[in-house]
Amino acid sequence: MNIFRLFGDLSHLAAIIILLLKIWKSRSCAGISGKSQILFAIVFTTRYLDLLTSFISLYNTSMKMIYIGCSYATVYLIYAKFRATYDGNHDSFRVEFLIVPVGGLAVLINHDFSLLEILWTFSIYLESVAILPQLFMISKTGEAETITTHYLFCQGLYRALYLINWIWRFYFEGFFDMIAIVAGVVQTILYCDFFYLYVTKVLKGKKLSLPA
Amino acid sequence: ADEPAAHDEL
């Protein structure tokens, strides 16, 4: 464990908690892409099946349980409890265009052709594009609530910190996982446009609105 | 460097 990975995990945890609290406190999921949240729940489910097979550490196990629990709770709030506030018309990204290619790629390019490893690889590839429905929804509505932008910033920052963690681990431990690194670079690049808007607008107290 | 046997990252 190094400081970059620890802060990456804490940033990821913050993002998940911010979103869950935002929906719970405001009793509304307006502006939130339910499709992205379903993809994240799939990402955690397929990645953390090793909860059943191997124990790494208390930290590892507890964080995985928290991620899975919160992501399913978020999906439940969006599609069940606060369903009336779900903006389905703007959450129209075709996720099958993500899941099918990612599934195919996971079968073709992986470290080991075993079920758990292919599911882990699928989860890594899926996570890199899972935010697309949310970014697409913001481009369609032309704006995002400030709390949603903080959620997105933490979500994007987490994998950016993981990139630094991988540089650290390669240099100090000689460890690198090309699949996770390439997917992590793609994932972080997808946030660049948002990062620019976040820094130039939200951090200056303005609302995030896109030229519609 | 070889890939990890068990994935130790979240």
Short mmCIF file of all heavy atoms in Angstrom, two decimals, chain A residues 57-99:
data_model
loop_
_atom_site.label_atom_id
_atom_site.label_comp_id
_atom_site.label_asym_id
_atom_site.label_seq_id
_atom_site.Cartn_x
_atom_site.Cartn_y
_atom_site.Cartn_z
N SER A 57 -6.77 -8.72 3.02
CA SER A 57 -6.59 -8.01 4.30
C SER A 57 -7.96 -7.53 4.76
O SER A 57 -8.93 -7.52 3.99
CB SER A 57 -5.68 -6.78 4.11
OG SER A 57 -6.38 -5.82 3.31
N LEU A 58 -8.04 -7.13 6.02
CA LEU A 58 -9.31 -6.61 6.55
C LEU A 58 -9.72 -5.36 5.78
O LEU A 58 -10.88 -5.17 5.43
CB LEU A 58 -9.15 -6.29 8.04
CG LEU A 58 -10.47 -6.00 8.78
CD1 LEU A 58 -11.37 -7.22 8.72
CD2 LEU A 58 -10.21 -5.58 10.22
N TYR A 59 -8.73 -4.54 5.49
CA TYR A 59 -9.00 -3.30 4.72
C TYR A 59 -9.61 -3.66 3.38
O TYR A 59 -10.64 -3.15 2.96
CB TYR A 59 -7.68 -2.54 4.52
CG TYR A 59 -7.77 -1.38 3.55
CD1 TYR A 59 -8.25 -0.15 3.97
CD2 TYR A 59 -7.36 -1.52 2.22
CE1 TYR A 59 -8.33 0.92 3.09
CE2 TYR A 59 -7.44 -0.46 1.34
CZ TYR A 59 -7.92 0.76 1.78
OH TYR A 59 -8.00 1.81 0.89
N ASN A 60 -8.98 -4.60 2.68
CA ASN A 60 -9.40 -4.99 1.34
C ASN A 60 -10.82 -5.54 1.37
O ASN A 60 -11.69 -5.11 0.60
CB ASN A 60 -8.41 -6.05 0.82
CG ASN A 60 -8.62 -6.39 -0.63
OD1 ASN A 60 -9.49 -7.21 -0.94
ND2 ASN A 60 -7.91 -5.74 -1.53
N THR A 61 -11.06 -6.45 2.31
CA THR A 61 -12.39 -7.07 2.39
C THR A 61 -13.46 -6.06 2.77
O THR A 61 -14.52 -6.00 2.14
CB THR A 61 -12.36 -8.22 3.41
OG1 THR A 61 -11.40 -9.19 2.98
CG2 THR A 61 -13.73 -8.88 3.52
N SER A 62 -13.17 -5.22 3.77
CA SER A 62 -14.21 -4.28 4.23
C SER A 62 -14.51 -3.24 3.16
O SER A 62 -15.67 -2.92 2.91
CB SER A 62 -13.78 -3.60 5.54
OG SER A 62 -12.47 -3.11 5.42
N MET A 63 -13.50 -2.74 2.47
CA MET A 63 -13.75 -1.74 1.41
C MET A 63 -14.59 -2.36 0.29
O MET A 63 -15.52 -1.74 -0.23
CB MET A 63 -12.42 -1.22 0.85
CG MET A 63 -11.68 -0.31 1.79
SD MET A 63 -12.51 1.27 2.02
CE MET A 63 -11.76 2.20 0.69
N LYS A 64 -14.29 -3.60 -0.05
CA LYS A 64 -15.06 -4.26 -1.13
C LYS A 64 -16.52 -4.39 -0.72
O LYS A 64 -17.44 -4.12 -1.50
CB LYS A 64 -14.48 -5.64 -1.44
CG LYS A 64 -13.15 -5.59 -2.17
CD LYS A 64 -12.58 -6.99 -2.36
CE LYS A 64 -11.28 -6.95 -3.15
NZ LYS A 64 -10.67 -8.30 -3.29
N MET A 65 -16.75 -4.76 0.54
CA MET A 65 -18.14 -4.90 1.02
C MET A 65 -18.86 -3.55 1.00
O MET A 65 -20.02 -3.45 0.59
CB MET A 65 -18.16 -5.45 2.45
CG MET A 65 -17.34 -6.70 2.66
SD MET A 65 -18.20 -8.18 2.18
CE MET A 65 -19.03 -8.59 3.70
N ILE A 66 -18.14 -2.51 1.39
CA ILE A 66 -18.74 -1.16 1.41
C ILE A 66 -19.07 -0.71 -0.01
O ILE A 66 -20.18 -0.25 -0.30
CB ILE A 66 -17.79 -0.15 2.08
CG1 ILE A 66 -17.63 -0.46 3.57
CG2 ILE A 66 -18.28 1.28 1.88
CD1 ILE A 66 -16.52 0.31 4.26
N TYR A 67 -18.13 -0.92 -0.94
CA TYR A 67 -18.37 -0.52 -2.33
C TYR A 67 -19.59 -1.26 -2.89
O TYR A 67 -20.47 -0.66 -3.50
CB TYR A 67 -17.15 -0.85 -3.20
CG TYR A 67 -15.96 0.04 -3.05
CD1 TYR A 67 -15.93 1.08 -2.12
CD2 TYR A 67 -14.83 -0.17 -3.81
CE1 TYR A 67 -14.82 1.89 -1.98
CE2 TYR A 67 -13.71 0.64 -3.69
CZ TYR A 67 -13.71 1.66 -2.77
OH TYR A 67 -12.59 2.46 -2.64
N ILE A 68 -19.66 -2.54 -2.67
CA ILE A 68 -20.77 -3.33 -3.22
C ILE A 68 -22.08 -2.90 -2.57
O ILE A 68 -23.08 -2.61 -3.24
CB ILE A 68 -20.53 -4.84 -3.02
CG1 ILE A 68 -19.41 -5.34 -3.94
CG2 ILE A 68 -21.81 -5.64 -3.27
CD1 ILE A 68 -19.05 -6.80 -3.76
N GLY A 69 -22.06 -2.76 -1.25
CA GLY A 69 -23.27 -2.37 -0.53
C GLY A 69 -23.78 -1.01 -0.97
O GLY A 69 -24.96 -0.86 -1.32
N CYS A 70 -22.90 -0.04 -1.05
CA CYS A 70 -23.31 1.33 -1.41
C CYS A 70 -23.78 1.40 -2.85
O CYS A 70 -24.75 2.09 -3.18
CB CYS A 70 -22.17 2.31 -1.21
SG CYS A 70 -21.79 2.60 0.52
N SER A 71 -23.13 0.64 -3.74
CA SER A 71 -23.53 0.74 -5.17
C SER A 71 -24.90 0.13 -5.37
O SER A 71 -25.74 0.68 -6.11
CB SER A 71 -22.49 0.08 -6.06
OG SER A 71 -22.47 -1.31 -5.88
N TYR A 72 -25.18 -0.99 -4.68
CA TYR A 72 -26.53 -1.56 -4.82
C TYR A 72 -27.57 -0.67 -4.14
O TYR A 72 -28.69 -0.50 -4.64
CB TYR A 72 -26.56 -2.98 -4.25
CG TYR A 72 -26.06 -4.01 -5.23
CD1 TYR A 72 -24.74 -4.44 -5.20
CD2 TYR A 72 -26.90 -4.51 -6.21
CE1 TYR A 72 -24.26 -5.36 -6.12
CE2 TYR A 72 -26.43 -5.43 -7.14
CZ TYR A 72 -25.11 -5.85 -7.10
OH TYR A 72 -24.64 -6.75 -8.02
N ALA A 73 -27.19 -0.06 -3.03
CA ALA A 73 -28.13 0.86 -2.35
C ALA A 73 -28.45 2.04 -3.26
O ALA A 73 -29.61 2.45 -3.39
CB ALA A 73 -27.51 1.34 -1.04
N THR A 74 -27.44 2.54 -3.95
CA THR A 74 -27.65 3.68 -4.87
C THR A 74 -28.57 3.28 -6.02
O THR A 74 -29.52 3.99 -6.35
CB THR A 74 -26.30 4.15 -5.42
OG1 THR A 74 -25.45 4.54 -4.33
CG2 THR A 74 -26.47 5.33 -6.37
N VAL A 75 -28.35 2.11 -6.58
CA VAL A 75 -29.21 1.65 -7.68
C VAL A 75 -30.64 1.48 -7.17
O VAL A 75 -31.61 1.88 -7.82
CB VAL A 75 -28.68 0.32 -8.28
CG1 VAL A 75 -29.69 -0.30 -9.24
CG2 VAL A 75 -27.36 0.56 -9.00
N TYR A 76 -30.76 0.95 -5.95
CA TYR A 76 -32.10 0.76 -5.36
C TYR A 76 -32.80 2.12 -5.19
O TYR A 76 -33.96 2.29 -5.56
CB TYR A 76 -31.98 0.07 -3.99
CG TYR A 76 -33.26 0.11 -3.18
CD1 TYR A 76 -34.34 -0.71 -3.50
CD2 TYR A 76 -33.40 1.04 -2.14
CE1 TYR A 76 -35.53 -0.63 -2.79
CE2 TYR A 76 -34.58 1.13 -1.43
CZ TYR A 76 -35.65 0.30 -1.75
OH TYR A 76 -36.83 0.39 -1.05
N LEU A 77 -32.08 3.12 -4.69
CA LEU A 77 -32.70 4.43 -4.48
C LEU A 77 -33.15 5.04 -5.81
O LEU A 77 -34.21 5.65 -5.91
CB LEU A 77 -31.71 5.38 -3.79
CG LEU A 77 -31.34 5.06 -2.34
CD1 LEU A 77 -30.42 6.16 -1.80
CD2 LEU A 77 -32.59 4.91 -1.46
N ILE A 78 -32.36 4.83 -6.84
CA ILE A 78 -32.68 5.45 -8.15
C ILE A 78 -33.87 4.76 -8.80
O ILE A 78 -34.81 5.41 -9.26
CB ILE A 78 -31.44 5.38 -9.08
CG1 ILE A 78 -30.34 6.30 -8.55
CG2 ILE A 78 -31.82 5.77 -10.53
CD1 ILE A 78 -29.01 6.16 -9.28
N TYR A 79 -33.84 3.42 -8.82
CA TYR A 79 -34.86 2.69 -9.59
C TYR A 79 -36.05 2.23 -8.76
O TYR A 79 -37.04 1.74 -9.30
CB TYR A 79 -34.22 1.48 -10.28
CG TYR A 79 -33.37 1.89 -11.47
CD1 TYR A 79 -31.98 1.99 -11.37
CD2 TYR A 79 -33.96 2.24 -12.69
CE1 TYR A 79 -31.22 2.39 -12.43
CE2 TYR A 79 -33.19 2.64 -13.78
CZ TYR A 79 -31.82 2.71 -13.64
OH TYR A 79 -31.04 3.11 -14.70
N ALA A 80 -35.97 2.37 -7.45
CA ALA A 80 -37.12 1.94 -6.64
C ALA A 80 -37.62 3.10 -5.79
O ALA A 80 -38.62 3.73 -6.10
CB ALA A 80 -36.72 0.74 -5.77
N LYS A 81 -36.85 3.45 -4.77
CA LYS A 81 -37.39 4.41 -3.77
C LYS A 81 -37.70 5.78 -4.39
O LYS A 81 -38.79 6.32 -4.17
CB LYS A 81 -36.40 4.56 -2.62
CG LYS A 81 -36.99 5.21 -1.37
CD LYS A 81 -36.20 4.83 -0.13
CE LYS A 81 -36.79 5.54 1.10
NZ LYS A 81 -38.17 5.07 1.40
N PHE A 82 -36.77 6.33 -5.13
CA PHE A 82 -37.00 7.66 -5.69
C PHE A 82 -37.18 7.59 -7.21
O PHE A 82 -36.75 8.48 -7.94
CB PHE A 82 -35.85 8.61 -5.31
CG PHE A 82 -35.62 8.70 -3.83
CD1 PHE A 82 -34.38 8.44 -3.28
CD2 PHE A 82 -36.68 8.99 -2.98
CE1 PHE A 82 -34.17 8.50 -1.91
CE2 PHE A 82 -36.49 9.05 -1.59
CZ PHE A 82 -35.23 8.82 -1.06
N ARG A 83 -37.82 6.54 -7.62
CA ARG A 83 -38.01 6.28 -9.06
C ARG A 83 -38.70 7.48 -9.74
O ARG A 83 -38.36 7.83 -10.88
CB ARG A 83 -38.87 5.03 -9.20
CG ARG A 83 -39.34 4.78 -10.60
CD ARG A 83 -40.16 3.49 -10.72
NE ARG A 83 -40.02 2.99 -12.09
CZ ARG A 83 -39.01 2.20 -12.51
NH1 ARG A 83 -38.10 1.83 -11.62
NH2 ARG A 83 -38.90 1.82 -13.75
N ALA A 84 -39.58 8.13 -9.05
CA ALA A 84 -40.35 9.23 -9.64
C ALA A 84 -39.44 10.40 -10.05
O ALA A 84 -39.76 11.16 -10.94
CB ALA A 84 -41.39 9.71 -8.65
N THR A 85 -38.26 10.48 -9.41
CA THR A 85 -37.38 11.61 -9.73
C THR A 85 -36.32 11.22 -10.76
O THR A 85 -35.45 12.02 -11.09
CB THR A 85 -36.66 12.10 -8.46
OG1 THR A 85 -35.80 11.03 -8.02
CG2 THR A 85 -37.64 12.43 -7.36
N TYR A 86 -36.40 9.96 -11.22
CA TYR A 86 -35.38 9.50 -12.18
C TYR A 86 -35.69 10.06 -13.56
O TYR A 86 -36.80 9.92 -14.07
CB TYR A 86 -35.37 7.96 -12.21
CG TYR A 86 -34.51 7.38 -13.32
CD1 TYR A 86 -33.15 7.71 -13.43
CD2 TYR A 86 -35.05 6.53 -14.28
CE1 TYR A 86 -32.36 7.19 -14.45
CE2 TYR A 86 -34.27 6.01 -15.30
CZ TYR A 86 -32.93 6.35 -15.39
OH TYR A 86 -32.15 5.84 -16.40
N ASP A 87 -34.66 10.71 -14.17
CA ASP A 87 -34.86 11.39 -15.45
C ASP A 87 -34.49 10.46 -16.60
O ASP A 87 -33.44 10.59 -17.23
CB ASP A 87 -33.98 12.67 -15.45
CG ASP A 87 -34.12 13.43 -16.75
OD1 ASP A 87 -34.98 13.05 -17.59
OD2 ASP A 87 -33.35 14.39 -16.94
N GLY A 88 -35.36 9.47 -16.84
CA GLY A 88 -35.08 8.45 -17.86
C GLY A 88 -34.90 9.00 -19.25
O GLY A 88 -34.14 8.46 -20.05
N ASN A 89 -35.58 10.11 -19.56
CA ASN A 89 -35.49 10.65 -20.93
C ASN A 89 -34.08 11.09 -21.27
O ASN A 89 -33.62 10.93 -22.39
CB ASN A 89 -36.44 11.85 -21.07
CG ASN A 89 -37.88 11.40 -20.88
OD1 ASN A 89 -38.25 10.30 -21.30
ND2 ASN A 89 -38.68 12.22 -20.21
N HIS A 90 -33.39 11.65 -20.29
CA HIS A 90 -32.02 12.13 -20.57
C HIS A 90 -30.97 11.06 -20.30
O HIS A 90 -29.82 11.22 -20.65
CB HIS A 90 -31.73 13.38 -19.73
CG HIS A 90 -32.47 14.60 -20.21
ND1 HIS A 90 -33.42 15.25 -19.44
CD2 HIS A 90 -32.43 15.25 -21.39
CE1 HIS A 90 -33.91 16.27 -20.12
NE2 HIS A 90 -33.33 16.29 -21.31
N ASP A 91 -31.38 9.97 -19.66
CA ASP A 91 -30.43 8.89 -19.37
C ASP A 91 -30.57 7.83 -20.45
O ASP A 91 -31.02 6.72 -20.22
CB ASP A 91 -30.73 8.28 -18.00
CG ASP A 91 -29.62 7.35 -17.53
OD1 ASP A 91 -28.52 7.37 -18.15
OD2 ASP A 91 -29.85 6.58 -16.58
N SER A 92 -30.19 8.25 -21.68
CA SER A 92 -30.56 7.40 -22.82
C SER A 92 -29.35 6.76 -23.50
O SER A 92 -29.43 6.34 -24.64
CB SER A 92 -31.30 8.28 -23.85
OG SER A 92 -30.48 9.42 -24.14
N PHE A 93 -28.22 6.70 -22.83
CA PHE A 93 -27.03 6.09 -23.44
C PHE A 93 -27.27 4.59 -23.64
O PHE A 93 -27.79 3.91 -22.77
CB PHE A 93 -25.81 6.30 -22.54
CG PHE A 93 -24.50 6.01 -23.20
CD1 PHE A 93 -23.76 7.03 -23.79
CD2 PHE A 93 -24.00 4.72 -23.25
CE1 PHE A 93 -22.54 6.77 -24.41
CE2 PHE A 93 -22.79 4.45 -23.87
CZ PHE A 93 -22.05 5.47 -24.46
N ARG A 94 -26.91 4.07 -24.81
CA ARG A 94 -27.11 2.64 -25.12
C ARG A 94 -25.99 1.82 -24.48
O ARG A 94 -24.93 1.63 -25.08
CB ARG A 94 -27.13 2.45 -26.64
CG ARG A 94 -28.17 3.28 -27.37
CD ARG A 94 -29.57 2.72 -27.18
NE ARG A 94 -29.67 1.35 -27.71
CZ ARG A 94 -29.88 1.07 -29.00
NH1 ARG A 94 -29.99 2.06 -29.89
NH2 ARG A 94 -29.95 -0.18 -29.41
N VAL A 95 -26.21 1.33 -23.25
CA VAL A 95 -25.14 0.63 -22.54
C VAL A 95 -24.76 -0.69 -23.19
O VAL A 95 -23.66 -1.19 -22.97
CB VAL A 95 -25.50 0.39 -21.05
CG1 VAL A 95 -25.56 1.71 -20.30
CG2 VAL A 95 -26.79 -0.38 -20.92
N GLU A 96 -25.64 -1.23 -24.03
CA GLU A 96 -25.26 -2.49 -24.70
C GLU A 96 -24.07 -2.25 -25.63
O GLU A 96 -23.27 -3.16 -25.87
CB GLU A 96 -26.44 -3.09 -25.46
CG GLU A 96 -27.12 -2.18 -26.48
CD GLU A 96 -28.23 -1.32 -25.85
OE1 GLU A 96 -28.15 -1.02 -24.64
OE2 GLU A 96 -29.15 -0.95 -26.59
N PHE A 97 -23.92 -0.99 -26.08
CA PHE A 97 -22.77 -0.67 -26.93
C PHE A 97 -21.48 -0.64 -26.11
O PHE A 97 -20.39 -0.57 -26.67
CB PHE A 97 -22.98 0.69 -27.59
CG PHE A 97 -24.07 0.72 -28.63
CD1 PHE A 97 -24.60 1.91 -29.08
CD2 PHE A 97 -24.57 -0.47 -29.17
CE1 PHE A 97 -25.62 1.93 -30.04
CE2 PHE A 97 -25.58 -0.47 -30.12
CZ PHE A 97 -26.11 0.75 -30.56
N LEU A 98 -21.61 -0.68 -24.80
CA LEU A 98 -20.42 -0.74 -23.93
C LEU A 98 -20.19 -2.18 -23.49
O LEU A 98 -19.08 -2.71 -23.57
CB LEU A 98 -20.62 0.14 -22.69
CG LEU A 98 -20.78 1.65 -22.91
CD1 LEU A 98 -20.99 2.34 -21.57
CD2 LEU A 98 -19.57 2.22 -23.63
N ILE A 99 -21.26 -2.83 -23.04
CA ILE A 99 -21.12 -4.14 -22.40
C ILE A 99 -20.65 -5.21 -23.39
O ILE A 99 -19.75 -6.00 -23.09
CB ILE A 99 -22.45 -4.55 -21.72
CG1 ILE A 99 -22.71 -3.62 -20.53
CG2 ILE A 99 -22.42 -6.00 -21.29
CD1 ILE A 99 -23.93 -3.94 -19.72
#
